[in-house]
Amino acid sequence: MQPYILALDQGTTSSRAIIFDQQGSIVSLAQKEFQQIYPQPGWVEHDPTDIWSTQVAVAAEAIVKAGLSSREIAAIGITNQRETTIVWDRKTGEPVYNAIVWQDRRTAAFCDQLRAQGHAGTIQQKTGLIVDAYFSATKVKWVLDNVKGARDRANAGELAFGTVDSWLIWNLTSGNVHATDVTNASRTMLYNIHSLDWDDELLQLLDIPKSMLPVVKNSSEVFGNTATQLFSADLPIAGVAGDQQAALFGQMCTKKGMVKNTYGTGCFMLMNIGDQPIVSRNNLVTTIAWKIGNEVQYALEGSIFIGGAVVQWLRDGLGIIRSSADVESLAQKVPDTGGVYLVPAFAGLGAPHWNQYARGTMVGITRGTDAAHIARAALESIAYQTMDVLKAMEADAGLPITELRVDGGATANNLLMQIQADVLNATVVRPEITEVTAIGAAYLAGLAVGVWKSPDEIQQQWKINQSFKANTSIDTTSMIKGWQRAVKAAKAWAEE
């Protein structure tokens, strides 16, 4: 009987479920969007019950669409939006507050305080992370400090904290398993990536009781079996990884020096740096790529907060395109941006700038600027931000990068991919299967239950759809200089 893997891909704006066969082909896919909650500027929340109900709904839909019964599914793999923080009651399973999303900036002032007190070096040394409101630790502290009675309940051992993977595992196993994997743990700012354990000193610094924390497991092992009416059989949950690490694995970047960039709401670039963590000197974060068996692989990561979201803004905010796909044809109406630069620092600037107060800026506008110039500038902004991260990575790793593997929704935009190759002066490679996040989770789950014997066997399934080579006749030097000036303007605007 052909074994199938069910991948649950819980993202920032939607929950998806994809069923893969043993050849790595997609058998069925279901997706459901859910509500984004913005209680005040800079705050972003989700209702945890929405996350769970949409994820359950699409899992059921994908199984039905595939014409399968639960018994034909060998395992479940989970991949998730990372850093998003949920705190719930251990007895009832009820969340004590909404999920605080990775994009949320409410703890920025507290992060400034941690830096001012001189904790940034220790935190980076232990966790590989930069002190920022992006990570989970300060979000957990906020919930304990601001939700009535939460701290007392946490101290009494009544509350559980988890990232989205833990929340799904808890619900899938009816509260029998409270666990996470090393990749998600390494994004909390509470996990020591050297000793591979929760760090007591950091827990004390942030005043977070250890009793709240999940057990940390490998990315590829059986976490437990489902115990819900959803499936007719109890299925093993056998692979878990944060979305970007899952994408790195799905892109088969299993050798040191290989790099992928995912173009989603934000952009996330990861480079496999092998079995030894490097502490970045260029404002990147060091993170765990995955742990399979006893082997840990590490990665350097640069996060760009606004990637594809800049195209959504053109659609919803400015109304200059009807659908996100229209941006390519609009941008192609002009040969260049006419000197316009758009810095989409809508939620501050991520790597390598880490300026949480920078705001979106458009410069170089003249009377001749039209919607096409702005659309092209928006696409170029994604490519330039990616370039900034890639240059920082090259400097940290001491390796020149000649190939970038790409995935995510915006990679369907050939114009963007060509601009990307030009500004990087490197080859951009788009694989045949662009659902690399979900397939990464499926591969990790399948390895744990023997659907695939080794990553080398999986390697055979990775195939190229299209390569974009740099056009050397374009003068990108002046374009890049203009971008650097525009970024300075975005930072200057944020200064008092």
Side-chain angles (χ1 to χ4, degrees):
M1 197 169 77
Q2 151 94 293
Y4 298 93
I5 304 280
L6 170 61
L8 304 182
D9 181 356
Q10 206 300 304
T12 309
T13 55
S14 68
S15 296
R16 309 161 77 232
I18 304 181
I19 292 177
F20 293 95
D21 64 18
Q22 200 168 5
Q23 288 68 51
S25 303
I26 293 173
V27 179
S28 69
L29 184 155
Q31 177 168 356
K32 205 172 172 66
E33 291 194 358
F34 56 87
Q35 192 190 2
Q36 306 293 307
I37 303 163
Y38 306 104
Q40 50 178 285
W43 292 32
V44 191
E45 296 177 1
H46 294 153
D47 179 342
T49 56
D50 278 354
I51 291 176
W52 168 237
S53 63
T54 53
Q55 192 61 76
V56 171
V58 291
E61 189 185 332
I63 292 170
V64 170
K65 269 188 179 172
L68 297 173
S69 83
S70 299
R71 286 180 182 78
E72 293 169 271
I73 291 166
I76 293 175
I78 294 175
T79 181
N80 54 287
Q81 52 163 320
R82 303 170 307 169
E83 299 96 15
T84 295
T85 298
I86 306 172
V87 176
W88 66 91
D89 184 295
R90 284 183 177 279
K91 275 207 180 77
T92 65
E94 286 294 310
V96 303
Y97 188 76
N98 274 340
I100 302 181
V101 180
W102 57 274
Q103 299 151 315
D104 189 281
R105 310 304 300 163
R106 77 186 64 185
T107 60
F110 176 65
C111 290
D112 290 345
Q113 212 176 306
L114 286 174
R115 277 193 293 273
Q117 290 164 354
H119 296 299
T122 309
I123 290 172
Q124 189 181 18
Q125 213 53 51
K126 286 169 176 276
T127 67
L129 306 178
I130 309 261
V131 174
D132 193 85
Y134 173 37
F135 304 109
S136 316
T138 59
K139 301 182 193 326
V140 184
K141 180 177 163 44
W142 187 92
V143 171
L144 297 182
D145 290 344
N146 291 277
V147 174
K148 199 177 171 203
R151 187 166 286 291
D152 291 341
R153 288 164 72 192
N155 287 334
E158 293 170 18
L159 299 185
F161 147 67
T163 41
V164 169
D165 57 309
S166 298
W167 172 243
L168 294 178
I169 292 163
W170 174 277
N171 282 291
L172 284 166
T173 62
S174 296
N176 290 324
V177 180
H178 183 211
T180 187
D181 89 301
V182 287
T183 69
N184 281 294
S186 77
R187 310 300 296 184
T188 57
M189 220 167 80
L190 296 169
Y191 190 73
N192 189 312
I193 61 170
H194 308 278
S195 65
L196 302 182
D197 210 349
W198 297 115
D199 193 285
D200 291 325
E201 191 188 342
L202 297 179
L203 289 168
Q204 201 176 343
L205 174 66
L206 286 139
D207 199 10
I208 295 169
K210 200 170 190 173
S211 62
M212 296 179 75
L213 305 179
V215 173
V216 184
K217 294 182 173 282
N218 284 0
S219 315
S220 179
E221 71 168 286
V222 176
F223 279 57
N225 285 345
T226 57
T228 146
Q229 303 306 300
L230 174 64
F231 306 110
S232 54
D234 291 347
L235 305 178
I237 300 162
V240 178
D243 52 12
Q244 302 315 320
Q245 288 97 327
L248 189 70
F249 196 73
Q251 283 279 32
M252 284 289 107
C253 292
T254 52
K255 306 269 185 295
K256 191 173 171 177
M258 294 179 80
V259 189
K260 73 90 198 168
N261 193 31
T262 297
Y263 299 77
T265 305
C267 289
F268 298 89
M269 190 184 292
L270 272 75
M271 173 196 253
N272 185 325
I273 54 172
D275 59 6
Q276 294 301 316
I278 303 170
V279 173
S280 173
R281 297 177 309 283
N282 293 281
N283 283 335
L284 299 175
V285 302
T286 309
T287 202
I288 296 177
W290 50 76
K291 185 178 179 211
I292 299 172
N294 293 321
E295 197 189 333
V296 181
Q297 295 275 302
Y298 293 90
L300 281 173
E301 175 174 337
S303 313
I304 295 161
F305 298 148
I306 302 290
V310 71
V311 177
Q312 291 170 334
W313 175 71
L314 297 180
R315 182 191 69 194
D316 305 336
L318 292 188
I320 62 173
I321 50 173
R322 272 232 179 97
S323 76
S324 295
D326 297 341
V327 72
E328 186 171 7
S329 54
L330 178 58
Q332 274 170 329
K333 287 184 177 170
V334 288
D336 54 47
T337 66
V340 174
Y341 288 89
L342 168 58
V343 182
F346 305 154
L349 282 169
H353 311 283
W354 290 104
N355 184 322
Q356 49 193 4
Y357 300 108
R359 283 295 169 263
T361 311
M362 203 172 344
V363 295
I365 302 167
T366 64
R367 185 69 184 79
T369 301
D370 64 17
H373 293 111
I374 293 170
R376 195 171 185 111
L379 288 183
E380 285 191 4
S381 77
I382 300 172
Y384 289 133
Q385 290 181 96
T386 300
M387 172 198 72
D388 286 346
V389 174
L390 192 109
K391 294 299 171 215
M393 242 170 223
E394 286 184 329
D396 271 339
L399 295 165
I401 296 166
T402 54
E403 178 187 281
L404 177 67
R405 294 187 171 189
V406 299
D407 56 84
T411 57
N413 188 319
N414 288 339
L415 175 62
L416 171 59
M417 293 299 99
Q418 188 57 54
I419 293 169
Q420 188 69 83
D422 296 344
V423 300
L424 292 181
N425 194 25
T427 303
V428 169
V429 181
R430 182 172 64 201
E432 200 58 61
I433 285 198
T434 53
E435 293 290 353
V436 296
T437 306
I439 207 169
Y443 284 152
L444 289 166
L447 280 171
V449 297
V451 171
W452 296 285
K453 298 290 173 278
S454 68
D456 293 340
E457 184 187 336
I458 295 168
Q459 188 73 54
Q460 312 304 311
Q461 298 185 358
W462 191 87
K463 293 187 175 59
I464 293 176
N465 165 275
Q466 196 171 341
S467 288
F468 299 84
K469 300 217 179 319
N471 180 350
T472 46
S473 65
I474 294 173
D475 172 26
T476 53
T477 316
S478 59
M479 289 166 65
I480 290 165
K481 273 195 183 135
W483 166 254
Q484 287 161 346
R485 283 171 61 203
V487 169
K488 272 189 196 145
K491 289 177 180 175
W493 172 251
E495 288 165 13
E496 279 297 325

